[in-house]
Amino acid sequence: MRLLPELVLTAEGWKRGQAVAIADGRIAALSATGAPQAEDVALPGRALLPGTVNAHCHTFQSLLRGLGDDLDFMGWRDRVLYPFSERLDTRGIAGIYLGAAFAFAEMLLHGATTCVDFFYLHDSGNENAEAVIEAAGRVGIRLVLARTMYDWDGAPKRYRETVADAARRTRELMARHR
C-alpha cells in the first residue's frame, strides 16, 4: 500500500509529490509519487508527519476527567484523585485497563504514537501495570511504562510500597517485557 498525502515531512523538510509505502504496518519507503498503483490511498489536503510523544501522563486518570475542574491541584488530589482512584479495579467498568485503553486511543487519534505513563496504582504487585501494558499493545501505541512508587505515608495504601519491593517488581516487569 502507498499513502499519497499532499505534504510529507522528511528529514529535509516538507515535500510534495511523495508516496509513502507501507508494508507490515511500517513505513517501508519514501519515493516520488510516479505512476498510480491500485493500492494507492490518496490523502488530498493532508500532511503526513511523524507521530508525537506524550512524555508524561497517568492513563488511569482519564477516568477522572471533568471531576473537580474547579479545584486547585491539592484540592483535586485530596477530593478527587485519592478517593476515586481507590475505587478503580484492574479490568472492570471502572478499570485501569479501560482507562488506559481510552487514553491510548485518544492519544493515537490526536497523533501521539508513544506514551510515557507514570503509573503508580500497584496494589502490592504488577497486575495493574500488566493491564496498562496489555491495553497499549491492543490499542497499538508504543508505551514507556514509568513505574512510579510512593513511600509517603500520606498517599493511599494502594500506591505505597517499599523501595525494595518497587525495585523487585520493576525488575520482574523488565524481565517479562524485554
Side-chain angles (χ1 to χ4, degrees):
M1 169 178 62
R2 294 187 326 159
L3 301 177
L4 306 176
E6 187 170 322
L7 292 169
V8 176
L9 183 58
T10 71
E12 296 80 38
W14 291 102
K15 289 189 176 183
R16 293 182 184 277
Q18 297 292 299
V20 181
I22 307 293
D24 297 321
R26 299 176 87 69
I27 296 174
L30 179 66
S31 62
T33 303
Q37 298 178 13
E39 73 276 2
D40 285 351
V41 176
L43 300 170
R46 303 282 173 92
L48 190 66
L49 58 152
T52 60
V53 176
N54 180 342
H56 185 134
C57 74
H58 307 280
T59 56
F60 77 89
Q61 290 180 11
S62 67
L63 298 174
L64 307 178
R65 192 172 298 148
L67 301 176
D69 286 352
D70 57 335
L71 301 172
D72 64 15
F73 176 76
M74 298 302 277
W76 176 81
R77 183 195 73 179
D78 295 339
R79 293 172 50 196
V80 176
L81 175 63
Y82 286 173
F84 282 93
S85 68
E86 289 288 343
R87 297 177 185 173
L88 299 178
D89 57 16
T90 304
R91 296 189 179 277
I93 192 70
I96 291 163
Y97 174 90
L98 183 65
F102 172 71
F104 294 145
E106 189 173 54
M107 287 177 218
L108 285 174
L109 181 65
H110 295 285
T113 57
T114 303
C115 172
V116 182
D117 190 352
F118 288 82
F119 187 76
Y120 52 86
L121 296 180
H122 302 305
D123 293 330
S124 301
N126 280 329
E127 183 181 3
N128 295 338
E130 292 285 1
V132 172
I133 293 166
E134 181 185 345
R138 286 190 138 174
V139 171
I141 196 167
R142 290 181 201 92
L143 172 66
V144 176
L145 184 74
R147 191 183 187 287
T148 307
M149 59 89 61
Y150 278 73
D151 65 353
W152 170 56
D153 289 336
K157 186 176 186 323
R158 77 182 307 187
Y159 297 14
R160 290 181 273 162
E161 59 190 344
T162 66
V163 172
D165 285 342
R168 178 178 48 79
R169 292 175 184 137
T170 300
R171 285 191 300 273
E172 289 169 359
L173 283 170
M174 290 169 60
R176 180 172 160 92
H177 295 284
R178 279 203 182 194

